[in-house]
Amino acid sequence: MAGVDGEDGLTEAFLREPRRYTSHQVAYMAGVPVYRARRYWRALGFANVSDDAVEFTDSDVEALRTMLALVSSGVYDEEHMLLVARSIGSATARLAESQAELGVEALDQAGVPLAERPRAWRRRAERVVPDLARLLVYAWQRQLAAAAGRIAEQDMSAVRLAVGFADLVAFTRLSRQITGSELSRLIDRFEGRSADIVTSTGGRVIKTLGDSVLFVADRSHVVAEIALRLVETHAKIKDMPELRVGLAAGPVIWRMGDVFGTTVNLASRLTALSLPGTILADPQFAEELEGDRAFRLRPVNRLSVRGLGELAPFTVTRAGS
């Protein structure tokens, strides 16, 4: 379905095929009522269009048939198929926005006038869309293989993880003091370096929120090492605000690529209570680090953690620091 509005064939340049059907025609060709077809389109993140709008392509028909076949064959029930569609829509929407922004930056750097943008966009689409499509499928298959390997024999109702939450101190105030382009570069550096550190150390990035990153690993010492590397690395970057980190270990609810529950909330709350450049861990997390000579634990005074009562956390530093 149309994802880019524009004239002079711009939408078709990205879709790589002509729009030729209305929503009712697509639903008819797939053999379902239009209301059911629209449920899937909305799950994928596409807005409803008027009944007489010719916005759909042969790929829209094929995509709808594919989702319906997965349900009719019993691979998914209807609700699970809609969840799959929502996860795909959410992930690809963010990916598309970021790639479109990078495309605009490339055109700006090349000095392309606004009047010539549609033509330049079409040329760019012809060059990059096929390659990016292949990269997207490749990365997704690799990620799926890794995720399946991790959870194939795991009871997803009782997942236990070490959780880390890191954020930049006084980021809101800083964002009011620098230009938009400077802020974008800072966020890019923070998110890029953070993701590199988490993955290279053996953890998994759950999400980044501009000034913060949520990450997990199966073992507490891995998350502790990630936290230390995050603080150490970002401290070396010029004009980067100081980082603070909260760590917790325990049961989590894992759903659609995200994590929830008291353990996640505790890591977030401890981050808010941490001083700049400090890593705070809950007692359970600290207990799991005992005996590990790579880390030094120091108890701090009992703190009142909003919504979770009082606890006595520990600071985490490198041994010998």
Side-chain angles (χ1 to χ4, degrees):
M1 203 165 88
V4 180
D5 264 338
E7 299 176 355
D8 303 322
L10 182 57
T11 298
E12 281 78 2
F14 282 93
L15 294 178
R16 303 189 64 77
E17 57 185 330
R19 292 173 289 177
R20 55 176 50 162
Y21 307 119
T22 67
S23 55
H24 283 269
Q25 288 172 323
V26 173
Y28 176 79
M29 294 166 72
V32 293
V34 71
Y35 76 84
R36 190 179 177 197
R38 283 174 173 161
R39 287 189 72 195
Y40 286 107
W41 294 326
R42 287 195 299 269
L44 286 168
F46 304 140
N48 289 340
V49 299
S50 60
D51 289 350
D52 59 351
V54 181
E55 288 288 345
F56 297 87
T57 70
D58 289 324
S59 290
D60 290 300
V61 179
E62 184 62 28
L64 183 55
R65 285 173 173 168
T66 297
M67 290 185 286
L68 293 167
L70 287 169
V71 173
S72 63
S73 66
V75 174
Y76 296 108
D77 61 25
E78 183 90 355
E79 292 307 312
H80 278 120
M81 188 66 248
L82 289 169
L83 286 173
V84 170
R86 289 190 189 102
S87 68
I88 292 172
S90 176
T92 54
R94 182 176 180 182
L95 181 63
E97 288 288 344
S98 66
Q99 290 172 343
E101 289 171 10
L102 292 174
V104 169
E105 290 181 13
L107 296 180
D108 285 341
Q109 292 170 0
V112 178
L114 286 175
E116 297 179 15
R117 287 289 173 85
R119 183 179 302 171
W121 267 115
R122 288 200 306 274
R123 290 197 300 267
R124 187 173 184 82
E126 292 169 358
R127 291 182 57 188
V128 305
V129 169
D131 289 338
L132 290 179
R134 285 190 290 271
L135 281 174
L136 176 59
V137 173
Y138 159 77
W140 167 74
Q141 286 181 313
R142 276 286 182 181
Q143 293 284 6
L144 182 59
R150 285 194 302 268
I151 68 176
E153 298 180 358
Q154 192 172 54
D155 180 1
M156 295 304 290
S157 65
V159 178
R160 192 183 187 287
L161 293 173
V163 180
F165 190 90
D167 76 356
L168 298 173
V169 178
F171 178 79
T172 301
R173 184 172 68 245
L174 175 66
S175 66
R176 300 192 188 105
Q177 299 171 348
I178 61 179
T179 66
S181 59
E182 289 171 335
L183 182 62
S184 295
R185 287 194 294 271
L186 186 147
I187 291 173
D188 288 344
R189 290 199 301 272
F190 172 70
E191 290 189 344
R193 289 175 186 266
S194 297
D196 288 344
I197 291 167
V198 172
T199 55
S200 65
T201 311
R204 303 189 291 283
V205 174
I206 299 301
K207 56 188 170 186
T208 56
L209 300 170
D211 64 336
S212 60
V213 57
L214 175 64
F215 55 96
V216 302
D218 296 329
R219 293 173 292 176
S220 290
H221 82 270
V222 173
V223 165
E225 179 63 26
I226 290 170
L228 288 165
R229 291 187 185 184
L230 286 172
V231 171
E232 294 162 355
T233 299
H234 289 300
K236 299 175 184 177
I237 303 174
K238 183 180 178 182
D239 299 326
M240 181 68 71
E242 286 190 277
L243 201 65
R244 57 186 179 178
V245 188
L247 308 177
V252 302
I253 300 169
W254 191 291
R255 186 65 172 166
M256 303 306 291
D258 205 347
V259 290
F260 308 91
T262 301
T263 303
V264 180
N265 293 338
L266 181 54
S268 176
R269 300 286 194 273
L270 287 173
T271 303
L273 295 170
S274 299
L275 296 173
T278 301
I279 301 168
L280 272 185
D282 84 300
Q284 179 63 47
F285 191 103
E287 182 179 335
E288 295 180 10
L289 290 185
E290 286 186 6
D292 193 322
R293 296 183 179 181
F295 309 105
R296 183 177 183 180
L297 301 171
R298 287 182 175 177
V300 301
N301 294 332
R302 296 184 70 85
L303 299 173
S304 178
V305 181
R306 181 168 58 88
L308 299 172
E310 287 193 350
L311 78 159
F314 293 75
T315 59
V316 180
T317 57
R318 288 202 183 279
S321 61

